């Protein structure tokens, strides 16, 4: 059928309803109509490419497969033209007048389910072609099908109830959509504005996009190419473009998978951890694509929260073709993608740690904090992440680290616990009183320097069946070792500890002889199961004016130490002085444990002691 005069059609009722919502929506990101139309254009070119494989007689067959966007700020128009498959008259009616396509259908369905007020839905669903009416006074679609026998047509509508179709002479193959912009949307007729939008959403469309004659999407869909053919410089340029970054990426993972999902992914770890540098919390920024068309630049659930430092692109063909109109609606699918990519990235880090230990160590110094967050919070991937953690230990050199697996491989006999100590740095832990007991028994202790470590250890709890245990906890039982000569007798120790407990009274829960101490006279052990020294400090910082949890420690003394032996003599010969010494010993132990809150009393006491020298 062909008609020379314009023919008027009513939109299908659902389309009218849809248009009514779209045109009256207050949706702020109106610019997405460009993404939608460019992605339709790209689909149309893709379809043509397929048609060319089987059909010989193609209209205008010499045309380049490209998309041309032109703006006219005087006339306030924007035009998006593709040399794709085009539409016949019947197809114009079918595609742009009825609701055969799934994106808009799903949109309407969710409206019917009572989401009317959520204008954001438009952004989520995209609603494809019809999004043009957010910005348009009128839309004209000039289209010529690839079938040479069909004439060209122009489809016209103002978006209110009806549209017209008329034959039109002299058309090229494909579709040309001319939008006459509403006055308050005239910005979309500005070259700079449209350039910005195209760069943001359509940089990786695999067909050339020209804006007012200038090529704007110079960077191709790198992630779909064979990695053996991609140079480092190309990867780096892509990273900089995609992540809006100025640095060179530290690590990169380019992989594809077919099962259980078809995925092409290109992930980068930046050089620096900007959160560590004090910048604001990173936002997830691995973009989600479906066949080179961007669906979401910052998808929230594509990767776990702790992988928010990653940049790059994930492209999955398994996303329904229309997911750009139903962004992230398919939760199950996104979850599956999340699992597959996270597992693969963790495997990559494991390999890095094995094959490029030095680079991994540098990565860890910068980004290890995210792995710790993952180990503590991400139950699904915990086991894999814990393997990637690294700590200095009593057996490593300063600056060198060990994994928990290596620690476990060094454990002897029936040892079942992995010990750790938390402290500000290596020197502080090594000079403290806690380590010596473990050293004397050849037990390795991990050194934890970061505030979150204790939280991480508490959440991780165990590795490979071995319990992670704080070495400064009162519950830790250590094996007997031969007692050196010259210690106070058991009876003397009993007398002294009893006297010390009476002297210190409520400040300690218990005073007893230590089986741990070798070189130090005393140590304080945390007697509170639920409140470690670090936790206590944190609580205190958060609860400045609130009531403090009373401190409860066990004081352990070293019966072999000269100070203790001297104290035993003093407590009968000069009880006043012995009291001062005992109080001072407790404060010394609290300082080592990081538990002394106020040193004022201590200074006064020390001065008194010094008087007697
Ligand atoms: P969707 O793209 O989700 O199917 P749209 O509303 O964007 O929904 O488009 C409806 C249909 O119109 C498309 O499925 C396609 O068949 C047709 N169409 C839209 N734009 C073009 C174009 N530039 N060239 C050819 N066909 C098009």
């Amino acid at each position: 059928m062909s008609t020379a005069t314009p023919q008027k059609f009513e939109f299908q009722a659902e389309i009218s309803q849809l248009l009514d919502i779209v045109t009256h929506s207050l949706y702020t990101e109106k610019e997405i109509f460009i993404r939608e139309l460019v992605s339709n254009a790209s689909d149309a070119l893709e379809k043509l490419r397929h048609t060319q494989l089987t059909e010989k007689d193609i209209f205008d067959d010499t045309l380049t497969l490209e998309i041309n966007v032109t703006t006219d700020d005087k006339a306030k128009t924007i035009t998006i033209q593709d040399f794709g498959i085009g539409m016949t008259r019947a197809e114009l009616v079918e595609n742009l007048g009825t609701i055969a396509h799934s994106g808009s259908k799903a949109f309407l369905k969710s409206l019917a389910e009572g989401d009317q007020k959520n204008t954001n839905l438009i952004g989520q669903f995209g609603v494809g072609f019809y999004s043009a009416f957010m910005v348009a006074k009128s839309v004209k679609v000039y289209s010529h099908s690839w079938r040479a026998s069909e004439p060209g047509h122009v489809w016209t509508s103002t978006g209110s109830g009806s549209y017209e179709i008329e034959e039109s002479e002299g058309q090229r193959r494909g579709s040309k959509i001319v939008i006459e912009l509403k006055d308050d949307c005239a910005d979309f007729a500005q070259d700079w504005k449209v350039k910005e939008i195209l760069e943001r959403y359509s940089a990786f469309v695999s067909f050339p996009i020209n804006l007012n004659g200038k090529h704007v999407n110079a960077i191709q869909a790198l992630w779909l190419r064979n990695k053996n053919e991609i140079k480092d410089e190309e990867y780096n340029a892509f990273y900089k473009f995609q992540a809006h970054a100025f640095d060179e990426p530290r690590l990169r993972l380019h992989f594809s998978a077919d099962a259980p999902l078809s995925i092409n992914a290109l992930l980068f770890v930046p050089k620096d951890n900007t959160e560590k540098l004090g910048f604001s919390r990173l936002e997830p920024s691995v973009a989600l694509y479906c066949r080179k068309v961007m669906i979401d630049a910052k998808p929230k659930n594509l990767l776990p929260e702790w992988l928010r430092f990653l940049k790059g692109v994930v492209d999955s063909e398994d996303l329904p073709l229309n997911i750009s109109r139903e962004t992230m609606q398919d939760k199950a699918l996104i979850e599956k993608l999340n699992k597959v990519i996270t597992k693969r990235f963790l495997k990559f880090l494991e390999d890095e740690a094995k094959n490029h230990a030095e680079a991994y160590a540098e990565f860890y110094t910068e980004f290890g904090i995210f792995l710790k967050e993952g180990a503590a919070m991400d139950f699904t991937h915990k086991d894999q992440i814990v393997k990637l953690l690294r700590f200095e230990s009593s057996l490593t050199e300063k600056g060198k680290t060990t994994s928990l697996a290596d620690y476990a491989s060094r454990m002897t006999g029936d040892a079942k616990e992995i010990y750790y100590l938390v402290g500000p740095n290596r020197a502080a832990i090594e000079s403290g009183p806690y380590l010596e007991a473990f050293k004397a028994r050849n037990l390795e202790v991990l050194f934890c320097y970061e505030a979150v470590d204790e939280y991480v250890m508490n959440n991780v709890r165990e590795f490979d069946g071995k319990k992670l245990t704080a070495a400064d906890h009162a519950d830790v039982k250590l094996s007997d070792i031969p007692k050196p000569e010259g210690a106070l007798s058991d009876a003397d120790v009993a007398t002294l500890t009893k006297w010390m407990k009476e002297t210190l009274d409520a400040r300690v829960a218990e005073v007893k002889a230590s089986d741990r101490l070798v070189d130090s006279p005393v140590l304080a052990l945390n007697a509170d199961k639920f409140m470690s020294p670090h936790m206590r400090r944190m609580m205190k910082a958060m609860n400045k004016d609130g009531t403090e949890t009373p401190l409860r420690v066990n004081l352990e003394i070293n019966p072999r130490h000269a100070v203790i032996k001297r104290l035993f003599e003093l407590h009968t010969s000069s009880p006043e002085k012995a009291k001062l010494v005992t109080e001072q010993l407790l404060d010394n132990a609290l300082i080592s444990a990081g538990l002394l809150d106020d040193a004022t009393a201590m200074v006064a006491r020390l001065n008194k002691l010094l008087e007697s020298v």
Side-chain angles (χ1 to χ4, degrees):
M1 182 183 67
S2 99
T3 10
T5 48
Q7 197 183 352
K8 194 171 167 184
F9 297 84
E10 300 294 314
F11 281 114
Q12 198 189 25
E14 285 100 324
I15 296 282
S16 287
Q17 188 193 351
L18 179 71
L19 280 171
D20 194 48
I21 295 160
V22 168
T23 44
H24 296 111
S25 91
L26 298 172
Y27 186 61
T28 47
E29 285 170 53
K30 291 192 188 329
E31 63 189 36
I32 58 141
F33 81 92
I34 295 181
R35 173 188 77 183
E36 296 296 316
L37 296 185
V38 167
S39 118
N40 279 349
S42 164
D43 288 351
L45 288 165
E46 196 69 61
K47 284 180 199 159
L48 183 83
R49 198 147 65 180
H50 277 95
T51 311
Q52 280 173 326
L53 299 176
T54 50
E55 302 285 342
K56 286 201 179 56
D57 191 16
I58 292 201
F59 179 63
D60 244 353
D61 206 13
T62 52
L63 280 176
T64 324
L65 297 190
E66 64 182 13
I67 300 165
N68 291 308
V69 181
T70 44
T71 56
D72 182 338
D73 58 355
K74 297 226 169 53
K76 295 185 192 158
T77 60
I78 174 170
T79 302
I80 292 158
Q81 176 176 38
D82 66 71
F83 296 135
I85 196 160
M87 284 176 272
T88 62
R89 183 188 188 86
E91 281 163 349
L92 281 168
V93 174
E94 169 70 22
N95 294 337
L96 306 185
T98 65
I99 193 138
H101 43 290
S102 56
S104 308
K105 222 180 207 167
F107 173 70
L108 281 177
K109 185 163 162 274
S110 97
L111 283 180
E113 283 162 6
D115 255 336
Q116 277 95 333
K117 283 183 207 75
N118 187 358
T119 45
N120 269 339
L121 275 177
I122 294 177
Q124 271 183 35
F125 285 91
V127 297
F129 170 75
Y130 303 101
S131 60
F133 288 98
M134 288 195 287
V135 298
K137 268 187 199 159
S138 77
V139 176
K140 283 185 187 302
V141 181
Y142 295 89
S143 200
H144 195 298
S145 163
W146 64 273
R147 294 169 199 273
S149 59
E150 295 278 338
H153 291 94
V154 54
W155 178 107
T156 313
S157 178
T158 57
S160 52
S162 65
Y163 59 94
E164 281 182 3
I165 298 182
E166 188 178 358
E167 244 182 64
S168 119
E169 297 289 317
Q171 279 193 47
R172 315 301 315 255
R173 185 192 66 223
S175 306
K176 183 170 83 174
I177 296 154
V178 183
I179 296 171
E180 187 196 345
L181 294 159
K182 292 181 189 165
D183 293 334
D184 61 344
C185 298
D187 259 8
F188 296 112
Q190 300 287 341
D191 181 275
W192 64 268
K193 171 94 177 174
V194 177
K195 182 161 181 272
E196 203 182 275
I197 298 167
L198 287 172
E199 282 174 351
R200 182 134 26 108
Y201 293 113
S202 307
F204 310 118
V205 168
S206 58
F207 300 98
I209 303 175
N210 305 307
L211 172 62
N212 296 323
K214 276 212 201 90
H215 193 182
V216 285
N217 62 333
I219 297 204
Q220 294 289 304
L222 206 62
W223 61 91
L224 295 183
R225 283 171 48 195
N226 182 341
K227 60 179 171 189
N228 300 325
E229 292 162 9
I230 306 174
K231 295 196 202 78
D232 283 352
E233 299 85 79
E234 285 180 275
Y235 276 123
N236 292 354
F238 174 75
Y239 162 77
K240 285 180 190 174
F241 180 90
Q242 205 268 337
H244 303 284
F246 296 97
D247 58 343
E248 307 273 299
R250 181 182 283 282
L251 299 173
R252 123 188 132 223
L253 169 63
H254 185 181
F255 76 95
S256 52
D258 294 324
L261 288 169
S262 128
I263 297 172
N264 285 284
L266 179 49
L267 304 175
F268 297 95
V269 177
K271 187 152 185 303
D272 301 312
N273 169 6
T274 52
E275 278 190 23
K276 195 170 134 189
L277 296 173
F279 288 93
S280 58
R281 187 179 169 86
L282 289 161
E283 280 185 19
S285 43
V286 173
L288 183 63
Y289 278 72
C290 169
R291 297 161 202 234
K292 298 174 220 163
V293 179
M294 189 172 82
I295 293 165
D296 195 340
K298 296 178 180 301
K300 288 251 153 18
N301 305 316
L302 180 62
L303 292 171
E305 186 64 24
W306 60 271
L307 278 177
R308 62 186 176 277
F309 61 95
L310 285 181
K311 313 284 175 197
V313 170
V314 168
D315 190 321
S316 175
E317 286 187 16
D318 287 329
L319 299 170
L321 201 64
N322 56 17
I323 192 157
S324 54
R325 290 79 174 163
E326 296 187 25
T327 306
M328 310 300 272
Q329 283 301 293
D330 191 343
K331 284 222 179 64
L333 189 65
I334 297 298
E335 262 169 39
K336 241 198 233 167
L337 273 173
N338 181 321
K339 276 205 184 123
V340 174
I341 300 162
T342 306
K343 280 221 153 60
R344 186 65 183 72
F345 183 70
L346 286 168
K347 173 81 178 57
F348 162 74
L349 287 183
E350 241 178 80
D351 292 345
E352 280 292 305
K354 214 184 295 158
N355 304 328
H356 307 108
E358 221 164 278
Y360 181 77
E362 280 170 25
F363 156 79
Y364 191 83
T365 310
E366 204 58 25
F367 292 93
I369 188 85
F370 291 103
L371 296 183
K372 288 178 180 176
E373 184 184 321
M377 321 269 276
D378 184 344
F379 195 73
T380 318
H381 302 107
K382 180 181 119 181
D383 291 347
Q384 235 186 320
I385 303 171
V386 171
K387 288 190 208 156
L388 294 166
L389 299 182
R390 297 290 183 272
F391 299 95
E392 282 192 30
S393 90
S394 51
L395 294 187
T396 67
E397 286 167 43
K398 184 174 163 57
K400 298 266 184 283
T401 57
T402 179
S403 65
L404 293 177
D406 286 342
Y407 180 114
S409 73
R410 289 187 289 267
M411 289 168 80
T412 50
D414 56 354
K416 289 196 181 58
E417 292 181 286
I418 294 179
Y419 296 107
Y420 65 89
L421 276 172
V422 185
N425 53 51
R426 189 173 185 102
I429 294 177
E430 282 185 330
S431 64
Y434 299 102
L435 191 60
E436 49 198 54
F438 294 84
K439 271 200 160 152
R441 289 167 179 81
N442 280 326
L443 291 170
E444 183 172 3
V445 178
L446 298 176
F447 294 170
C448 302
Y449 307 138
E450 274 178 313
V452 294
D453 285 339
E454 180 159 49
Y455 177 73
V456 173
M457 291 302 200
N458 280 334
N459 274 270
V460 173
R461 277 162 185 268
E462 58 159 50
F463 172 78
D464 201 15
K466 284 137 192 119
K467 201 167 161 260
L468 297 172
T469 305
D472 56 358
H473 201 277
D475 278 353
V476 173
K477 295 274 172 295
L478 293 172
S479 63
D480 290 334
I481 43 173
K483 287 199 173 106
E485 298 293 299
L488 291 178
S489 73
D490 288 352
D492 290 351
V493 168
T495 316
L496 182 62
T497 50
K498 182 161 174 284
W499 181 85
M500 286 174 82
K501 167 67 184 136
E502 280 163 13
T503 307
L504 295 168
D505 197 20
R507 291 190 68 195
V508 291
E510 189 185 359
V511 181
K512 64 171 193 172
S514 176
D515 52 7
R516 302 180 178 228
L517 289 167
V518 181
D519 299 319
S520 306
V522 285
L523 66 72
L525 288 175
N526 178 28
D528 192 335
K529 253 200 171 62
F530 305 104
M531 182 79 73
S532 72
H534 292 271
M535 224 136 67
R536 193 169 172 280
R537 267 204 302 278
M538 249 154 58
M539 301 280 286
K540 213 175 156 221
M542 287 186 316
N543 188 21
K544 282 206 171 69
D545 308 314
T547 46
E548 261 181 49
T549 23
L551 179 61
R552 274 171 58 84
V553 293
N554 291 347
L555 186 68
E556 294 199 355
I557 63 167
N558 180 353
R560 292 151 308 268
H561 200 280
V563 172
I564 298 299
K565 289 199 257 181
R566 179 92 182 94
L567 179 64
F568 179 70
E569 288 161 20
L570 268 186
H571 96 279
T572 44
S573 64
S574 177
E576 273 312 302
K577 206 175 196 180
K579 182 166 182 276
L580 290 179
V581 171
T582 302
E583 284 169 347
Q584 187 57 43
L585 282 172
L586 173 62
D587 278 1
N588 289 355
L590 292 178
I591 291 171
S592 293
L595 286 172
L596 190 73
D597 294 330
D598 183 1
T600 344
M602 187 190 93
V603 173
R605 181 192 317 116
L606 261 179
N607 286 336
K608 228 177 180 175
L609 272 171
L610 288 173
E611 276 171 27
S612 66
V613 173

